[in-house]
Amino acid sequence: MTLALLALHLLLVGVLLPRRLAGSPRLQARPALGAAVWLALMASFGTGLLLAAHHLLAPLGHEPAGLVGLLPHLEPAVAPHAHDWWAPAAAGGAVAAVTAVLAARAARARRRHRETLDLVATRDRARRLLVLEDPRPAVYCLPGRRARVVATRGAVELLDERGLAAAVAHEYGHLRGRHHLVLLAADTFALLLGRLPLARLGRAEVALLLEMAADDAALARVTPGELAGALCALATAGAGPGPAGLAAASTGVLARVQRLARTPAPPTPAYRLAALAAPLLPYLLACAPHP
């Protein structure tokens, strides 16, 4: 019974819900909440998968019945079958290892790029950015302890002062929101389960929603028209993603400009509940009393 419930949960969270939620205007209305919902679904799927693996490997007749029956399995001092958790524990270790590798690789790339910028870029204190002598227009950020916002000479010449201020404010929105850490979690899930709709759609949706969240942060300093104009100018000039993968016009420019031109309906409280409860749902299914 427990395995059937967990299998149903994995189908719902891993396949059906992602197709339903992709491109949701309600999630785009509150992009930070939207990204949290997608990460909650990923956590819920991962937890459900580990619990299903445990129940598959548990010796027949030793499956816990209800929460009371599960407690001895969670207490190392009295767990007679603690060795049954070796496979889920190994899977959890693999996830942690992949995350650490991706984080270390990104940190090394940012450090090398930051060292190069310190040598060749010019600091513009009035605009709160570094100017890189490159004719290709781009505005991007390097997150981390020594965060930077960078604009190429091409971008400075392409944009007017308000447009450049909009692009820079967008990048500071990324830095304040620690969006690179959120993207790291989605990247890890996508790398491990890339064929799964939740992984494939979720990675793209999280990236888009983080861009929209940074757009919202920029709107505290500029108007929607100024921001939309800067995004369109950079996108049509062929601006690509920066080394950190968080460039002002690198992801979903058309969807973001359309969003700036309208006021989407806010998400219902059910979305907030999903962000909080989804990771706990597999535990409740595994502990549910059954015949």
Side-chain angles (χ1 to χ4, degrees):
M1 181 66 174
T2 298
L3 273 176
L5 290 173
L6 288 172
L8 212 67
H9 167 77
L10 294 176
L11 175 65
L12 176 67
V13 171
V15 179
L16 302 180
L17 271 180
R19 292 172 177 168
R20 177 82 175 179
L21 291 177
S24 167
R26 288 188 177 273
L27 291 184
Q28 292 178 2
R30 299 290 185 272
L33 174 61
V37 168
W38 281 101
L39 291 185
L41 292 178
M42 293 176 186
S44 185
F45 185 91
T47 303
L49 199 60
L50 293 179
L51 287 172
H54 167 67
H55 281 277
L56 276 172
L57 295 171
L60 191 62
H62 291 292
E63 187 176 357
L67 183 59
V68 175
L70 184 65
L71 290 177
H73 289 252
L74 300 179
E75 176 54 56
V78 297
H81 302 289
H83 61 277
D84 299 334
W85 285 94
W86 69 268
V95 172
V98 169
T99 304
V101 168
L102 290 178
R105 185 182 302 168
R108 283 196 302 270
R110 289 196 297 266
R111 183 174 65 251
R112 287 194 296 266
H113 191 73
R114 189 162 49 239
E115 290 170 352
T116 302
L117 286 173
D118 289 344
L119 293 174
V120 302
T122 303
R123 183 174 296 278
D124 188 332
R125 296 188 183 277
R127 293 168 170 154
R128 300 189 303 155
L129 55 82
L130 295 177
V131 179
L132 181 63
E133 296 299 329
D134 188 327
R136 297 169 296 180
V139 182
Y140 62 91
C141 65
L142 283 175
R145 292 182 181 176
R146 298 167 59 199
R148 305 278 195 279
V149 172
V150 184
T152 63
R153 181 61 63 185
V156 173
E157 294 175 353
L158 174 68
L159 301 173
D160 60 21
E161 281 300 319
R162 294 301 296 170
L164 184 59
V168 170
H170 171 95
E171 296 307 320
Y172 274 104
H174 278 313
L175 295 178
R176 285 192 297 271
R178 303 290 192 269
H179 290 171
H180 64 293
L181 298 179
V182 181
L183 202 56
L184 174 63
D187 283 341
T188 302
F189 192 85
L191 183 63
L192 292 171
L193 297 166
R195 293 180 178 272
L196 187 73
L198 176 59
R200 177 171 44 84
L201 296 173
R203 168 59 177 79
E205 287 294 311
V206 167
L208 176 59
L209 289 166
L210 291 179
E211 293 298 331
M212 291 178 174
D215 289 342
D216 287 350
L219 294 179
R221 301 180 64 88
V222 298
T223 67
E226 290 167 340
L227 179 57
L231 293 177
C232 290
L234 289 170
T236 54
L246 293 172
S250 64
T251 302
V253 172
L254 179 58
R256 290 160 57 195
V257 170
Q258 289 174 340
R259 174 178 175 269
L260 289 170
R262 56 181 167 81
T263 305
T268 63
Y271 289 93
R272 294 181 176 84
L273 180 62
L276 294 172
L280 302 177
L281 185 57
Y283 290 107
L284 297 178
L285 295 177
C287 299
H290 56 274

